[in-house]
């Protein structure tokens, strides 16, 4: 029987590539999309559209945590910062950091995994072209995987995997991998600012643009 994976799926470039990767690996996938008040909640619509196209089972969760307004990704009074590329990857934690986001997301995913009897959680953190978020590092994901194996029924009875296939890839590698897997880039949403079109100025837009440019691939989300 095919193994089952819970894919943490925001509808962005990285998590969509993860979903296509997991399907290509032979996993039966169920997606988990979490709204937490992000300004770019539009990504949730992108997630819905992509998962529908693939015919995979979807789960949607809303976290109502008022204190997440400490992040400029959530707080509507606070502007999303605009950095130069070398500043983005300097390792300094920017104001867009959402407190404990991946710890919460992995906990929710672990609960779902245990309830439906899945074998793996797939997530798309990346520690190369990223914004220095402490919950996107290999050490954190390794420790979270150990915790989930120790603290879930499936973990203690048969063992589960927490997979982060993009962890060591550059954005350029991710675009190349996505292109190979047939990711519908035009449907994905990465921009931190919600809106009609990607802003082109936020950290996420800049990293994405460099990835596509270096990979020599056209970004259908920007040019449509
Ligand atoms: Zn943007």
């Amino acid at each position: 029987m095919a193994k089952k994976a819970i894919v943490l799926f925001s509808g962005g470039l990285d998590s969509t590539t993860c979903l296509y990767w997991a399907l290509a690996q032979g996993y039966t996938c169920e997606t988990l999309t979490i709204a937490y008040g992000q300004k770019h909640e539009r990504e949730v619509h992108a997630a819905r559209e992509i998962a529908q196209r693939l015919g995979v089972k979807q789960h949607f969760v809303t976290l109502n945590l008022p204190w997440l307004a400490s992040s400029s990704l959530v707080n509507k009074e606070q502007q999303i910062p605009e950095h130069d590329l070398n500043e983005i990857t300097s390792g300094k934690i920017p104001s867009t950091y959402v407190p404990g986001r991946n710890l919460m997301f992995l906990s929710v995913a672990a609960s779902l995994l245990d309830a439906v009897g899945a074998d793996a959680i797939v997530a798309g953190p990346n520690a190369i072209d990223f914004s220095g978020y402490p919950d996107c590092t290999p050490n954190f994901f390794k420790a979270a995987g150990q915790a989930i194996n120790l603290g879930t029924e499936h973990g203690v009875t048969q063992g589960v995997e927490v997979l982060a296939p993009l962890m060591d890839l550059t954005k350029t590698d991710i675009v190349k991998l996505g292109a190979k897997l047939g990711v519908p880039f035009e449907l994905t949403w990465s921009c931190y600012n919600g809106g009609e079109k990607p802003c082109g100025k936020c950290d996420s837009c800049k990293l994405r643009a460099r990835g596509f440019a270096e990979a020599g691939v056209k970004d259908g989300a920007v040019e449509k």
Side-chain angles (χ1 to χ4, degrees), residues 55-134:
V56 301
K57 187 166 182 188
Q58 307 177 61
H59 303 269
F60 292 93
V61 169
T62 300
L63 296 177
N64 188 5
L65 307 174
W67 57 84
L68 296 187
S70 68
S71 167
S72 66
L73 208 58
V74 173
N75 192 329
K76 294 192 169 55
E77 309 294 309
Q78 243 180 301
Q79 281 241 314
I80 302 274
E82 295 172 9
H83 301 108
D84 291 333
L85 269 170
N86 55 355
E87 230 183 318
I88 297 171
T89 49
S90 69
K92 210 172 135 224
I93 301 174
S95 68
T96 48
Y97 169 65
V98 178
R101 181 171 52 184
N102 277 337
L103 190 56
M104 295 190 289
F105 282 15
L106 285 171
S107 301
V108 177
S111 168
L112 176 59
L113 164 142
D114 224 9
V116 302
D119 307 282
I121 294 170
V122 180
N126 168 254
I128 307 293
D129 284 332
F130 82 134
S131 292
Y133 300 148

Side-chain angles (χ1 to χ4, degrees), residues 191-192 199-200 202 205:
C191 180
Y192 284 158
C199 75
C202 71
C205 276

